């Protein structure tokens, strides 16, 4: 089943516009966790999604442009996170130098999520988690 079809069969959904300030990341992370708990998700999934939301939103604020939106959808035993901005430059998985203080975020996303990628011409980064 395609991700698009899953979105059309949504059981739960949440969407918000994110202020373009790095200080907003912690508020969005808390909001995402609250929404997932309200939907009855396990703490381990909530923790993983919260980390991915932080990474995607921070990247969109730091490296993207225009309006930033966060969408969380739960359906058919899956949780799908999408963060969009107006930039056409896609998020890229990189190898970080062992001494680097930054550059590991998408590697962490790849380790936590069932799958992840970039769509919509590079302006949307998504991750999918198995909820059941």
């Amino acid at each position: 089943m395609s991700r698009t079809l899953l979105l059309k069969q949504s059981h739960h959904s949440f969407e918000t516009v994110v202020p373009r300030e790095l200080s907003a990341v912690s508020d969005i992370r808390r909001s995402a966790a609250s929404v997932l708990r309200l939907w009855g998700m396990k703490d381990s999934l909530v923790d993983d999604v919260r980390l991915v939301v932080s990474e995607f939103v921070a990247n969109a604020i730091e490296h993207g442009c225009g309006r930033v939106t966060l969408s969380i959808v739960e359906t058919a035993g899956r949780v799908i996170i999408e963060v969009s901005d107006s930039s056409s430059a896609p998020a890229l998985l990189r190898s970080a130098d062992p001494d680097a203080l930054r550059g590991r975020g998408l590697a962490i996303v790849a380790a936590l999520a069932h799958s992840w990628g970039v769509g919509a011409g590079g302006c949307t980064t998504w991750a999918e988690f198995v909820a059941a």
Side-chain angles (χ1 to χ4, degrees), residues 4-66:
T4 303
L5 185 56
L6 285 174
L7 290 174
K8 290 179 181 174
Q9 299 174 352
S10 172
H11 290 102
H12 296 105
S13 64
F14 169 80
E15 187 170 336
T16 189
V17 175
V18 180
R20 290 198 57 86
E21 304 165 2
L22 284 175
S23 62
V25 175
S26 61
D27 292 336
I28 293 302
R29 180 175 53 236
R30 279 192 296 276
S31 295
S34 294
V35 164
L36 291 172
R37 285 189 184 105
L38 181 67
W39 295 347
M41 299 296 144
K42 294 180 185 179
D43 286 342
S44 59
L45 176 66
V46 171
D47 291 342
D48 290 350
V49 169
R50 185 172 43 200
L51 185 57
V52 170
V53 164
S54 294
E55 179 60 29
F56 283 176
V57 169
N59 280 352
I61 291 170
E62 281 191 271
H63 306 293
C65 61

